[in-house]
Structure formats: C-alpha cells, structure tokens
C-alpha cells in the first residue's frame, strides 16, 4: 500500500507526538478524540508500521514514529513557507526567475519542481538556463541565475546558500568497446592507469569528478578535457578515456555505444538547490521552498545498470 502523507494528517500526528496524549492533542486541534485516533490509525495502516505505543500509562513514540516526526515537521514547515511565499507572489505578479542548471539538472525531480512552482506561481516567468562545466555554480557566482540546481562541492563565494534535495551514486561511463563495460562493478583502485575525461572546471569540482580523494595520491591520467556533457560522451565514445558521472545520467543520456558501470567504493553525488542569500526576492525563495517540499514528497526511480 502506498503511504499517505496528507498535510492535515501529518499535523495531527505531530500534535499527538508533542503532547503524547490523545486528549490534549485533540483539544489543541479542535477535533474529537475518537476522530483523531482513527486518523492516526489510518496513517499507521498506510505506512504498515506502528508509530505510537499506546499503554494505560500513556503514549510514546516507536522508533518509526521518531523518524516520521522529524520528516513530518520538515514537510509542514516547508508547506507553510510555500504558502506564505505564494501569498506574497499574489501581491507582486510579473516576475522573471532564472533557474541555472547543468546536464540533467535534478534528474526527474526537475520536472516535478517546475510543475509545482508554476502551479503555485503562475505569474512568474521561469527560464531554465544551462551552464558549462566551467561554472559549477550554474550562474549564481556571477548573478546571472536567481536559483540553481547544483552538485557540490562548489567553489565558495559570499552569500552562497544550498539545501540538499537528494543523493545518488556516481558510476563509471565507458565505451562498450572497453573491457570495463563487461564488468558488474569496479573499484577506483582498478582504474588508476585508465585515462579519464576531465572537466574544464574549477579544481575543487574537477577533482571531485576525477575522484582524486579516492586515488591514494595517484594522479589521474587525463585522456581529454571537455566543457560540456555532450563533449564528454563524444570523448568516451572515441575511446579517449572514461569518466565518473551521476547514476541518473544513464536515464537521460544513454546512447548507442555507451555503458555505465557501478563503482563499489565511491561516495555519492549530492543534488542541491542553491541560491544567493543576498537575493531576497520572494520568487527565488519560493522556488527554494517548493524544491525542498517536492523533494520530500517525490520518489525518484531506481537506477538500473545495463551493459
């Protein structure tokens, strides 16, 4: 059964968790206690797990209830912020918002965020603007973007703010002609002599995608340097080297001749929504809140690896 996360029911649960007493919680919520009990039972059934221990001595949270309480508070706070910013938007229409990104942005979450944002802020004109590897901040550093989907680590600058949306594995992109394409997985130590495709990017970001921290002081062998995703894949297909990339690349950029191999000992890639703290316009802040709320409530597909 798919879990139900209606904000109203989550608010009921949070109130019970805070009061640890159904009677007091019902009074706070201005509803009848039997109705509150039914709603919490329905929530537990939808999750197929108990959230509360009910005894004659009182109510306590189960371990699952403790976990849900944290996420429920996040969801409710994000929903309230989104509602507040939406009300601000209604008082100040006609705004353009530039959203910076690279490659597949935030994978499948990108479309969900944009749809939710446009639904809540129909008067805002949203422009998605692509940036090359040379600017991993996707327009935030020079102010050409209001908000951006980014993948840390980023070069730091004053006023940069980020919020994590999700993480996903890094995988190895190779030519199908490579022996590596037949492997079910690889380790970084097996790739130390392989030529790699390097990104024309600031050192911090370039090194992350070359996995220099996992090479144990072995400098990477550079087969080619590229500025865009398409250039990277063309270099791989022409067997100039291999490259680490995010797992969702397989779903968005799969093409004849490319293979994607899991890497057993590589830290994941984090996808964040980022903004400038000195940009206080409601349209940018509303986008950040919408992205966070959507990420909390939107499941992403599992990545499958096919050779």
């Amino acid at each position: 059964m798919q879990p139900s996360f209606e904000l109203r029911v989550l608010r009921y649960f949070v109130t019970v968790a805070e009061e640890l007493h159904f009677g007091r919680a019902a009074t706070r919520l201005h509803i009848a206690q039997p109705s509150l009990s039914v709603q919490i039972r329905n929530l537990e059934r939808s999750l197929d797990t108990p959230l509360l221990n009910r005894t004659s001595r009182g109510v306590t949270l189960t371990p699952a209830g403790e976990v849900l309480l944290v996420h429920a508070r996040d969801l409710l706070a994000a929903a309230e912020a989104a509602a507040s910013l939406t009300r601000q938007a209604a008082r100040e229409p006609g705004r353009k918002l530039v959203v910076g990104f690279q490659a597949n942005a935030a994978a499948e979450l990108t479309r969900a965020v944009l749809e939710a944002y446009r639904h809540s802020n129909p008067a805002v004109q949203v422009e998605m603007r692509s940036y090359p590897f040379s600017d991993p901040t996707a327009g935030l550093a020079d102010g050409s973007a209001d908000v951006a989907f980014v993948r840390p680590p980023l070069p730091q600058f004053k006023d940069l703010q980020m919020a994590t949306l999700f993480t996903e594995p890094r995988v190895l992109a190779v030519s199908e002609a490579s022996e590596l394409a037949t492997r079910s997985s690889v380790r970084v130590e097996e790739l130390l002599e392989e030529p790699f495709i390097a990104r024309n990017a600031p050192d911090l970001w370039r090194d992350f995608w070359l996995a220099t921290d996992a090479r144990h002081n072995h400098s990477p062998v550079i087969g080619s340097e590229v500025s865009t995703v398409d250039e990277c894949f063309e270099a791989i297909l022409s067997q100039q080297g291999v490259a680490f990339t995010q797992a969702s690349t397989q779903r968005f950029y799969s093409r004849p001749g490319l293979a994607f191999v899991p890497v057993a000992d590589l830290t994941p890639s984090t996808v964040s929504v980022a903004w400038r703290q000195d940009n206080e316009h409601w349209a940018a802040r509303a986008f950040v809140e919408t992205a966070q709320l959507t990420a909390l409530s939107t499941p992403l597909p599992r990545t499958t690896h096919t050779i």
Side-chain angles (χ1 to χ4, degrees):
M1 180 182 295
Q2 281 292 105
S4 172
F5 287 114
E6 292 183 26
L7 294 178
R8 174 178 57 85
V9 177
L10 287 181
R11 189 172 292 108
Y12 290 172
F13 168 73
V14 169
T15 304
V16 174
E18 291 173 347
E19 294 291 343
L20 294 178
H21 191 280
F22 276 88
R24 291 194 298 269
T27 300
R28 267 181 60 184
L29 293 165
H30 306 290
I31 63 173
Q33 182 175 333
S35 176
L36 176 59
S37 297
V38 169
Q39 294 288 350
I40 299 301
R41 288 289 189 194
N42 288 341
L43 177 60
E44 290 176 315
R45 276 195 292 270
S46 74
L47 292 169
D48 195 27
T49 188
L51 302 171
L52 300 168
N53 295 312
R54 302 160 177 84
T55 69
S56 58
R57 302 177 61 181
V59 176
T60 60
L61 286 167
T62 66
E66 294 278 5
V67 171
L68 180 60
L69 179 59
V70 173
H71 291 287
R73 282 172 168 159
D74 287 343
L75 274 167
L76 292 171
E80 178 55 36
S84 175
L85 291 164
T86 299
R87 289 190 289 270
Q88 292 181 41
R91 297 192 292 269
E92 188 185 349
R95 166 73 174 176
K96 179 180 179 180
L97 185 78
V98 177
V99 180
F101 72 99
Q102 289 186 336
N104 63 28
E108 288 83 359
L109 188 63
T110 310
R111 180 176 178 181
V113 171
L114 291 176
E115 288 180 351
Y117 184 76
R118 285 167 173 150
H119 177 76
S120 300
N121 303 275
V124 179
Q125 178 188 348
V126 178
E127 177 190 338
M128 294 292 292
R129 187 176 296 176
S130 177
Y131 287 83
F133 290 154
S134 59
D135 183 11
T137 74
L140 292 179
D142 64 9
S144 58
D146 296 300
V147 293
F149 292 116
V150 297
R151 291 178 179 270
L154 301 184
Q156 292 296 307
F157 61 87
K158 186 177 181 292
D159 296 317
L160 173 65
Q161 298 291 313
M162 289 185 287
T164 297
L165 299 178
F166 65 92
T167 62
E168 61 175 328
R170 281 183 284 174
V171 299
L172 185 70
V174 303
S175 164
E176 285 186 347
S178 168
E179 178 274 332
L180 292 168
T182 65
R183 300 283 298 277
S184 59
S185 69
V186 295
R187 302 181 67 85
V188 175
E189 63 184 17
E190 301 175 89
L191 306 171
L192 298 180
E193 303 304 320
E194 286 288 328
F196 267 73
I197 309 301
R199 303 183 181 202
N200 283 318
D203 289 346
L204 183 68
W205 207 61
R206 171 190 172 99
D207 288 348
F208 176 80
W209 289 106
L210 289 171
T212 56
D213 62 336
R215 291 176 178 270
H216 307 296
N217 296 320
H218 286 79
S219 297
V221 178
I222 304 302
S224 180
E225 300 205 7
V226 296
S227 298
T228 66
V229 174
D230 286 330
E231 288 181 9
C232 180
F233 292 146
E234 288 305 317
I236 293 171
L237 289 171
S238 61
Q239 300 186 56
Q240 296 176 46
V242 299
F244 295 123
T245 186
Q246 59 265 26
S248 57
T249 297
Q250 183 175 355
R251 302 193 298 272
F252 284 80
Y253 290 96
S254 184
R255 63 182 67 181
L258 272 184
F260 297 87
V261 185
V263 185
D265 56 345
L266 204 54
T267 58
S269 168
T270 298
V271 180
S272 298
V273 60
W275 68 99
R276 296 179 63 107
Q277 193 171 25
D278 57 352
N279 182 357
E280 298 181 350
H281 199 284
W282 60 262
R285 191 61 200 167
F287 188 91
V288 172
E289 297 293 348
T290 299
Q292 291 177 285
L293 180 60
T294 305
L296 285 167
S297 58
T298 304
L300 293 176
R302 293 179 179 272
T303 298
T304 56
H305 300 279
T306 56
I307 303 300

